[in-house]
Amino acid sequence: MREASYRLRRWLAGRMLPDSLQGRLTLVMVSGVLLTQLAGNVIWTAQRRAEAREEVKTAAQHLAHSASSAVRFFLSLPPNYRPLIIQQFREMGGTRFLVNINRAPVPVRPLKGRELADAALGQLLATLQEDLPGTPGLRVAFAWPERLRVDDGGVTLADLPESWTRHIMLARPAPVLLIQAELEPGHWLYLATLMPNPYFLETDNPLARDRLLLQALSLAAVLLVSILVVRWITRPLAALSDAATAFGKGENPPALPETGSREFVTTARAFEDMRKRIGRYMDDRERLFVSISHDLRTPIMRLKLRAELLDDDDLRGEFHDDLDELDMMVKGALQTVKDSDIHENATEIRLDALLGRMVRDAQLAGHEVSFAASGLTVTARPLALKRAIGNLLNNALQYGARVELAVGEDGGNIEIVVRDHGPGVPETALAGLGQPYVRLEHGRSRNGAGMGLGLSIARGIVQAHGGQLLLANAAGGGFRATIALPGAVFNPQ
């Protein structure tokens, strides 16, 4: 169970995380910015809503005190004077409240589901009950001005003169506060007004469109700067990777610039030092093997001449066999170094032309070889690649009656397949193939002069190109050697 969970996490990480360092750094920075913005918005929204709630309660309390004063004023008037006072208010241009006297409370369609409205109404009702303890009926509600009734006869707010409603009717509709108080039986005071902040309900949603747009623009700017910074940081690493890849393929890339961060400059200097040391090592290795070739051939030749002086023919033959084997081993070691260390520049190779010539040469020698054109090209060192393919083809011709060559493309890589119809290789021996001087029993019987270096040389050349040499038994019998090289390019011709 634990192993399955670990594999699942590995799979999810591989699917969700980008492959490149630039992609991963960008993802981390973008995620950090988004999480910071989200956390900041959550905290700010909570604080803003708490502040808006307190502001609305304070405004409602002050408004309730004003309404209480108006109710007490009308309670102090005789009932027959109240309409006259209301008319005077209207002729004077109105007051903060739109006032009316009705025989019964006017039905209102209140706002529902608004947290700030409910908080304001609660505070209003509590303050009114505190200021007017003897008032039997108090009703408070918020309603939209459209079709809002002002009396029990059906007159709406829109039917009143503009001079009466100029303190309530705004260009953009705002919720109207209605306070209805029973003065005496059959006399209800109707008060309509606006909150000090008429559009207070909008503060219930701090994430308004304009704020979201501003945050989106700021987030886009931060992300753009983050991506540019990540690219600026990772660009030297990409140059280092390209230089390492080119050096691994035997090319001679230009020296890395010692500019940028201190860490990159240190890494570039270390890479240049490593490249120089490896270059010196390769030169020393080549000189060493040339010296070995020169130094060993002379004593081997002297031993062969001295062996001719032996009287015993059998002993002389054994000496010659041992010296021939020693000479072959020296030549094989030198061949391994020279074949896997070919100094040439990489170029674009038309595989149809290269393999076609090799197939024709094999057919002229009497071998049965088939090949189908593919129209593919690859960037490689021509002589080295030809030598690697030639070693595989020679092995296939040596051990198989019929050979097939094929070229294909798989996942952006090019595959050159050499398949023979010979006896194949025991499964237990596949792991050791490609090692120097490793030869199987049927190889010794068919090719006694071989040294077991062909596959080793081919593998070294392929790996120097950044590819792989895959060896396996073919389905249906025979052996299959596949050269997988990166960077295949399709040739439309």
Side-chain angles (χ1 to χ4, degrees):
M1 186 66 180
R2 183 176 301 175
E3 183 178 357
S5 176
Y6 173 75
R7 290 181 178 178
L8 178 61
R9 290 196 301 269
R10 287 285 301 274
W11 182 83
L12 290 175
R15 290 285 184 177
M16 297 175 64
L17 291 177
D19 294 334
S20 64
L21 178 61
Q22 177 179 346
R24 294 192 175 190
L25 287 177
T26 302
L27 178 62
V28 170
M29 296 187 69
V30 169
S31 301
V33 171
L34 289 177
L35 290 176
T36 303
Q37 287 274 15
L38 180 60
N41 282 333
V42 170
I43 296 173
W44 181 85
T45 300
Q47 292 178 347
R48 187 67 190 92
R49 284 181 174 174
E51 292 174 357
R53 188 180 180 89
E54 292 300 321
E55 291 174 359
V56 166
K57 284 185 176 182
T58 303
Q61 188 176 20
H62 289 297
L63 191 58
H65 289 315
S66 298
S68 300
S69 299
V71 172
R72 284 194 296 266
F73 173 73
F74 280 96
L75 281 173
S76 65
L77 295 175
N80 54 343
Y81 279 9
R82 293 167 184 164
L84 297 175
I85 297 298
I86 293 174
Q87 186 63 31
Q88 289 179 0
F89 285 160
R90 292 173 178 174
E91 291 176 355
M92 292 169 57
T95 61
R96 180 175 188 176
F97 296 99
L98 174 66
V99 186
N100 199 20
I101 300 293
N102 300 312
R103 292 187 300 271
V106 176
V108 180
R109 181 180 296 175
L111 300 181
K112 294 181 179 180
R114 301 297 183 96
E115 182 181 355
L116 286 182
D118 295 339
L121 292 176
Q123 184 64 47
L124 276 164
L125 187 58
T127 305
L128 287 173
Q129 289 174 348
E130 182 180 352
D131 292 347
L132 304 170
T135 305
L138 286 173
R139 297 187 181 185
V140 293
F142 282 104
W144 293 108
E146 294 84 0
R147 299 183 179 276
L148 177 62
R149 293 172 60 182
V150 297
D151 63 9
D152 48 10
V155 178
T156 63
L157 197 62
D159 298 331
L160 299 179
E162 183 180 354
S163 60
W164 296 7
T165 61
R166 61 184 179 181
H167 297 292
I168 299 177
M169 300 295 287
L170 301 178
R172 185 158 59 97
V176 178
L177 172 63
L178 301 178
I179 302 174
Q180 300 185 76
E182 187 180 12
L183 303 179
E184 294 96 9
H187 292 80
W188 282 79
L189 181 63
Y190 179 98
L191 301 176
T193 188
L194 296 175
M195 292 286 288
N197 176 16
Y199 306 105
F200 72 98
L201 291 179
E202 295 181 359
T203 60
D204 194 30
N205 181 24
L207 299 180
R209 181 180 301 177
D210 55 349
R211 176 167 176 81
L212 289 178
L213 179 60
L214 179 61
Q215 287 194 347
L217 292 177
S218 62
L219 178 62
V222 171
L223 294 182
L224 179 61
V225 172
S226 300
I227 292 174
L228 292 178
V229 169
V230 170
R231 290 190 61 184
W232 176 64
I233 293 174
T234 57
R235 185 176 297 173
L237 297 179
L240 177 61
S241 175
D242 294 339
T245 302
F247 180 65
K249 293 181 179 181
E251 302 174 5
N252 189 21
L256 292 172
E258 295 186 2
T259 58
S261 63
R262 180 180 58 188
E263 291 79 7
F264 174 74
V265 172
T266 302
T267 304
R269 291 175 179 173
F271 176 79
E272 290 298 326
D273 293 341
M274 179 193 68
R275 185 168 64 173
K276 292 178 181 178
R277 287 196 301 271
I278 293 178
R280 290 194 298 267
Y281 166 75
M282 298 297 292
D283 294 339
D284 293 342
R285 188 190 68 164
E286 188 173 353
R287 287 193 296 269
L288 173 64
F289 276 90
V290 170
S291 300
I292 291 175
S293 173
H294 179 270
D295 294 342
L296 288 182
R297 283 178 179 175
T298 301
I300 290 175
M301 183 59 65
R302 286 201 303 267
L303 289 174
K304 286 184 177 181
L305 292 175
R306 291 177 181 177
E308 293 294 333
L309 301 177
L310 295 176
D311 297 331
D312 191 338
D313 295 337
D314 295 335
L315 182 60
R316 186 169 58 249
E318 291 178 0
F319 266 101
H320 276 294
D321 292 341
D322 291 340
L323 292 173
D324 289 340
E325 184 177 354
L326 180 59
D327 190 20
M328 186 179 300
M329 292 177 63
V330 172
K331 291 179 179 178
L334 293 173
Q335 182 183 0
T336 301
V337 174
K338 292 180 180 180
D339 286 352
S340 59
D341 190 22
I342 301 175
H343 300 284
E344 58 177 337
N345 295 326
T347 184
E348 191 173 291
I349 303 172
R350 296 171 58 90
L351 291 175
D352 290 346
L354 175 64
L355 297 178
R357 288 193 298 268
M358 299 176 70
V359 168
R360 286 193 296 272
D361 293 341
Q363 290 174 346
L364 290 176
H367 298 288
E368 184 179 354
V369 183
S370 61
F371 169 68
S374 63
L376 290 172
T377 65
V378 70
T379 301
R381 291 178 287 171
L383 292 179
L385 182 60
K386 181 179 179 182
R387 187 162 296 170
I389 299 174
N391 287 351
L392 299 179
L393 180 60
N394 290 335
N395 281 351
L397 295 174
Q398 186 71 33
Y399 304 122
R402 180 164 50 92
V403 178
E404 299 172 358
L405 268 70
V407 178
E409 195 173 12
D410 182 17
N413 293 336
I414 195 168
E415 292 186 348
I416 305 171
V417 181
V418 181
R419 187 260 172 94
D420 64 54
H421 291 265
V425 175
E427 294 294 334
T428 57
L430 283 175
L433 284 181
Q435 300 297 326
Y437 304 108
V438 173
R439 305 189 66 200
L440 303 181
E441 186 62 33
H442 68 277
R444 295 191 186 94
S445 61
R446 296 195 179 195
N447 183 15
M451 294 177 290
L453 295 173
L455 290 179
S456 175
I457 294 172
R459 185 186 296 275
I461 293 174
V462 172
Q463 289 177 348
H465 283 81
Q468 287 183 308
L469 177 61
L470 308 176
L471 305 175
N473 287 315
F479 190 72
R480 176 188 177 98
T482 303
I483 295 176
L485 296 175
V489 181
F490 183 75
N491 187 353
Q493 297 181 355

